[in-house]
Amino acid sequence: MKKISRRLFLGSASIVGTGMALKPTSIWAGNRSLDSKPALLGGEKTITKSFPRWPIVDTTEEKALLDALRGSRWGRRVKDNAADNFENNYAKLLGANHCLTVNSGTSALFTIMGALNIGPGDEVILPVYTFIATYNAVVLHNALPIIVDIDPESFQIDPKKMEAAITKETKALMPVHIGGSPADLDSILEIGNRHNLPVIEDACQAHLAEWKGKKVGTFGIGGAFSFQESKNLNCGQGGAVTTNNRQFMDACVGFHHQGSILQDNPYAQGGIRGGNLRMTEFQASILNAQMTRLEQQAKTRSENATYLSRILNEIPGIAPAKLYPGTTNSAYHLYMFRYDSNYFAGMSRARFMEALSAEGAPCSGGYGQMEKTPRITSLPNNRHYIKIYGEKTMKDWLERIQCPQNAKVSGEIAVWFSQTVLLGSKTDMEQIAEAIRKIQKYAQEIKEAKI
């Protein structure tokens, strides 16, 4: 993939910063709309058709649900049910030895940590740039979430900062394959091996993503997937745990089913805990139906994302999120790119996203500063945490989890497209690039417009 050099960024910033438009060049015969004003200034939208709605359903889902309804076996009371079928098929698709369905991605993470007997006094390292569920799964076990900063080019956890955060209380490393792109697994697994720490893969957004030809969710002690309604594979709410370790899977099965685990399992560790985290037949039936389209949809997203990255890389100030060399496939649950306002007359990211959405390319700024939100900053005042860790430790914890790179990325740089945008056509990808070029050409006017 072609990269934008630092020299090109710095050398062009002064030109665009004065409002002078850069002459567009392209690998495709596009640029049809550059002469018209941006939609935000009263011009015509670049993209006039809607992107696919989500989820995509047809009679396959209808039949699956009706079969479950009429079968009168809505839980997992019998063998060879819909959940069993999904677990077998999903494990086979991923190349995992074992798969367990649960009722959410959060429950998948919670189950993995429960099977590892993580609890009060323990620390788990996770990235700041993630959905709050990653954090919640840790605090639900009354463990201490150690939030670390990201690599601003990839938006993924920085392995060096992860290793620097390890203490004698660390019990697990939990990277997130954010946006569906693999984290730097080689580095993270090496750190885990060197410090004798299990790696939990939060693959909730990464269905069918690959690292060196192997599906993510199969590298660490366990992988967690989400099937929430926005996900590439979904059933409204649902999740799964994957692993290649039979005894660990037995521990996960036990934890998700009221602690029914054999005492001689090494993961039992002297005390059995558990709850009801099981998936219903209705959720599993929808998953089986949605699975029939998963691989083709993944292929479409990958092809469109690859093409979109090629043409966006030609636009100064726009840089698709870096994929690490081991990435052989991203799931592209999110298409993430970096926006540099210096190439858009100093226009704020918020105004850029407003202009891009007006052109018919819906986008967002992604995650914010999780470590600054009240749900995080209030944890040191939680009476249970004060009792477990003490006031000084909790006060120091707030200092430990400051993430300056994330502050810059989440506040000024990151822009997202959802996975449904990548289910469009090649022409749609070209029109996204055309819309950005148009915005760049009229950046000064857009910035100054009273809208």
Side-chain angles (χ1 to χ4, degrees):
M1 183 183 298
K2 181 180 177 183
K3 299 294 183 184
I4 301 175
S5 70
R6 177 176 174 84
R7 179 178 296 177
L8 175 58
F9 266 112
L10 297 177
S12 302
S14 60
I15 298 175
V16 181
T18 62
M20 296 175 61
L22 296 175
K23 181 180 179 181
T25 59
S26 179
I27 60 172
W28 86 94
N31 306 330
R32 295 181 293 274
S33 61
L34 291 179
D35 292 333
S36 64
K37 281 192 172 185
L40 205 61
L41 298 178
E44 296 294 323
K45 292 171 62 173
T46 305
I47 305 165
T48 56
K49 76 169 192 176
S50 298
F51 290 99
R53 294 182 62 183
W54 192 256
I56 295 171
V57 298
D58 60 22
T59 55
T60 311
E61 282 77 11
E62 292 179 16
K63 182 180 185 305
L65 280 174
L66 285 173
D67 286 348
L69 179 68
R70 292 165 179 162
S72 299
R73 298 182 301 186
W74 300 345
R76 299 198 65 178
R77 293 177 297 165
V78 296
K79 292 187 179 297
D80 297 323
N81 54 37
D84 287 339
N85 293 337
F86 175 78
E87 288 169 351
N88 292 333
N89 291 332
Y90 196 58
K92 182 178 180 180
L93 183 63
L94 296 186
N97 290 342
H98 312 287
C99 174
L100 170 69
T101 53
V102 291
N103 55 27
S104 71
T106 307
S107 292
L109 292 168
F110 185 65
T111 296
I112 291 171
M113 281 183 269
L116 289 171
N117 199 28
I118 288 171
D122 296 337
E123 295 180 356
V124 177
I125 298 176
L126 64 147
V128 66
Y129 202 74
T130 184
F131 184 56
I132 192 65
T134 312
Y135 165 90
N136 282 337
V138 179
V139 296
L140 280 170
H141 284 289
N142 292 310
L144 196 61
I146 305 303
I147 300 168
V148 303
D149 217 343
I150 57 173
D151 169 3
E153 292 188 356
S154 67
F155 306 164
Q156 305 284 349
I157 192 168
D158 186 332
K160 293 179 181 178
K161 291 182 173 64
M162 173 180 271
E163 183 165 28
I166 293 173
T167 71
K168 62 183 177 62
E169 306 300 340
T170 304
K171 295 300 183 289
L173 308 178
M174 189 158 60
V176 179
H177 303 305
I178 204 68
S181 297
D184 186 356
L185 276 172
D186 282 358
S187 297
I188 294 167
L189 291 168
E190 191 275 330
I191 293 169
N193 288 334
R194 185 150 35 85
H195 293 271
N196 195 30
L197 291 170
V199 173
I200 302 169
E201 292 181 75
D202 183 338
C204 286
Q205 299 179 356
H207 314 80
L208 303 191
E210 294 180 0
W211 183 262
K212 296 184 175 178
K214 182 181 176 182
K215 301 291 193 300
V216 302
T218 63
F219 289 87
I221 184 62
F225 291 87
S226 170
F227 306 128
Q228 178 265 349
E229 63 183 342
S230 73
K231 299 301 191 294
N232 298 16
L233 177 60
N234 85 94
C235 61
Q237 288 292 343
V241 175
T242 55
T243 184
N244 291 321
N245 184 315
R246 175 72 260 179
Q247 289 181 313
F248 182 71
M249 176 51 67
D250 288 342
C252 288
V253 171
F255 186 87
H256 105 297
H257 184 45
Q258 306 295 1
S260 54
I261 178 175
L262 298 176
Q263 286 286 357
D264 61 355
N265 188 307
Y267 292 96
Q269 298 183 19
I272 306 303
R273 298 182 298 151
N276 179 1
L277 305 172
R278 299 188 298 272
M279 177 178 282
T280 71
E281 281 290 274
F282 296 109
Q283 293 167 302
S285 295
I286 295 175
L287 284 175
N288 286 326
Q290 290 278 301
M291 276 269 284
T292 62
R293 308 182 192 90
L294 179 63
E295 291 180 278
Q296 181 55 53
Q297 289 169 343
K299 182 174 183 290
T300 299
R301 289 189 196 96
S302 182
E303 290 174 351
N304 278 332
T306 299
Y307 184 56
L308 182 60
S309 292
R310 287 175 62 199
I311 55 184
L312 291 189
N313 264 326
E314 296 182 336
I315 303 176
I318 301 295
K322 179 182 75 176
L323 300 179
Y324 291 106
T327 302
T328 46
N329 190 43
S330 169
Y332 287 109
H333 175 63
L334 301 167
Y335 184 92
M336 305 182 293
F337 65 91
R338 305 194 307 278
Y339 166 73
D340 188 336
S341 64
N342 290 318
Y343 293 83
F344 291 79
M347 184 197 314
S348 70
R349 181 186 62 165
R351 178 52 65 89
F352 169 79
M353 291 190 299
E354 183 183 6
L356 187 54
S357 294
E359 294 296 329
C363 58
S364 74
Y367 297 126
Q369 288 183 260
M370 182 173 73
E371 76 280 21
K372 300 290 188 182
T373 59
R375 68 181 79 186
I376 307 296
T377 58
S378 64
L379 190 64
N381 300 319
N382 183 290
R383 65 184 178 89
H384 304 292
Y385 271 76
I386 292 173
K387 186 175 182 179
I388 296 167
Y389 300 97
E391 291 186 7
K392 183 179 185 305
T393 295
M394 292 309 300
K395 182 179 179 181
D396 292 343
W397 173 76
L398 278 181
E399 294 300 319
R400 291 176 67 186
I401 64 170
Q402 297 309 301
C403 299
Q405 293 292 346
N406 179 61
K408 181 77 172 174
V409 168
S410 62
E412 303 174 26
I413 293 174
V415 181
W416 290 2
F417 294 131
S418 72
Q419 53 95 357
T420 55
V421 170
L422 297 176
L423 292 178
S425 65
K426 184 176 180 181
T427 298
D428 292 331
M429 304 304 107
E430 294 173 352
Q431 289 179 342
I432 289 171
E434 289 176 9
I436 294 174
R437 289 186 183 279
K438 187 199 297 187
I439 293 167
Q440 189 171 69
K441 180 178 179 180
Y442 289 88
Q444 191 70 39
E445 291 182 48
I446 295 173
K447 176 186 175 183
E448 296 173 354
K450 304 297 182 182
I451 301 172

